Amino acid sequence: MLRDKDKKQLQEKGMTTAMVEEQLKRFKTGYPQLNITAPATLEKGINKYGEEEKEKLRSLYQKKQKKTKICKFVPASGAASRMFKNIFEVLSAYDGSEEKYLELLTDRSANSVYFLCEHIHDFAFYDDLEQMCSQKGDCIESKFTKKDYVGALNLIVSEKGLNYGNFPKGLIKFHKYKKEERTALEEQLVEGAMYAKSKQKVNIHFTVSPEFYDDFQKHIKEITPKYEEHFNVQFDIDLSIQKPHTDTIAVTLENKPVRDEDGKLIFRPGGHGALLVNLNEIDADLIFIKNIDNVVTDRLKPITVEYKELLGGVLLDFKDKINHYLERLTGEEELKDAYITKIANFANQRLNIDIPENFKNFAKPEKIKLLIEKLNRPFRVCGMVKNEDEPGGGPFWVTDPKKEESLQIVESSQFDKEDKKQMGVFESATHFNPVDIACSTKDFKGNKFDLSKYADPETGFISHKTMKGESVKALEHPGLWNGAMANWTTIFVEVPMETFNPVKTINDLLRKEHRF
């Protein structure tokens, strides 16, 4: 299916023919269904810490913070177009008639475009909108006064105004304060200064889209001095883009490569799992992962900081124990059988690591070898929020082909909708995944793991997309916190709903969590 001239295109992307042929093969074979056996619950799989224990772990984190190199890793390449989906739908449906106009405004719920227009002055970006319109000889206020909502909405999302419909979320003004407005990126900086500093230094890494790289750099240069002075810290902010070689080929429904008018192969971004390559480049002792849009105003930041410190404390506490055991297991001192059994019980009971039933029959060298292999892995502590609405992607027990059981974060799309038993497991889930992760990517000697070795390549996704009106199939790598971390040691910790406040639609910014 590949042509000779494709090789040059692949070389420019840092890809090989073998990589693309493997992707084409995957479209034909698909991915095996996960054997999802049970939801992780407070009874089995999710830790819940009482007030006393929580404060003890927070204190541990605060004590070790100065000597620990910490980095926030924030995926921020997502476009804000989905935030404005309702607006685009209204603009697309409007045909200029008064009848259609009235029809579009019949929905007056909190998620409606009408509700947005009625509360337009409450948005942090309103002053920018007003100023931009004034510079272009237009008046946004008159449009709202005259109920010209369609014209006003167009000025929010299109190039005629703010052009927010084509912006990344990180550069959109989310929150309004008495004397300032902040973008989502600014809130990530403020939050980082509150819990992720080490020796007055705050390391933050944002993954961004290539087309907005310069915009992010400009914004960061403009805002950083203000927050460095306010918090008495130094920000070290890095940006990276999704690597071209992680893109995946698009195919037709018949699994043939899609090409453009010039005959070149068409590739698509490989999903957030492609960011494993970026994460693999981070050199830090503790990495916090959180999505760009999950931020709140200062009024609610204390609870965010509280539970970030808890996750960090849990990770550092367990990491100390793991490192100690690995040092003993790899040392020259002869270990007693009882001590080896103690380590095995710790791995199984505290770290949810599946230890073979016949482990006690292993020879001592085999026991030690197995425990080293099981314990010396990347480690993550993931916050989990209690389900209050419909179940979604979250924490589950999964059994692999080797019959080993482990804790995994599973997306709803990974469940077989035709399998009643599996859907029963899905519907009985008690918690969901807010993407709130503290992780360690170094071994007990301080060397970085090669994270690609701990991913499960059998957990990717095949999705259907539309390109220029034609249906195509797209391949996504194992999700960053899903299959990309399948072979990490995993701890789940319950965190409150107050720590999860994503902005999925523009109207979410009108919720109390995003108001001063």
Side-chain angles (χ1 to χ4, degrees), residues 5 22 27 73 88-89 96 140 168 192 200 225 239 266 327 339 342 347 351 354 396 405 421 432 449 480 509 515:
K5 66 177 182 179
E22 178 60 31
F27 278 113
F73 184 84
F88 284 120
E89 288 176 348
I140 187 66
Q200 301 308 115
L239 302 178
I266 292 181
E327 286 167 3
Y339 189 77
K342 178 183 177 181
L351 300 178
D354 201 337
F396 292 89
E405 190 177 50
K421 182 178 179 181
F432 70 88
F449 287 108
L480 182 59
L509 291 174
R515 307 284 285 274

Side-chain angles (χ1 to χ4, degrees), residues 17-35:
T17 302
M19 290 168 67
V20 177
E21 288 176 343
E22 178 60 31
Q23 291 177 13
L24 292 170
K25 180 181 177 182
R26 183 63 76 174
F27 278 113
K28 294 180 179 179
T29 62
Y31 290 97
Q33 197 66 44
L34 287 179
N35 183 12

Side-chain angles (χ1 to χ4, degrees), residues 225-261:
K226 175 176 67 173
Y227 296 113
E228 287 186 330
E229 181 180 358
H230 181 78
F231 290 102
N232 188 29
V233 298
Q234 177 189 345
F235 283 101
D236 187 353
I237 302 174
D238 287 328
L239 302 178
S240 68
I241 61 172
Q242 196 162 303
K243 311 299 182 184
H245 74 266
T246 65
D247 290 348
T248 58
I249 192 168
V251 300
T252 66
L253 298 183
E254 291 74 36
N255 298 321
K256 295 181 179 179
V258 177
R259 298 178 182 272
D260 63 15
E261 295 175 353

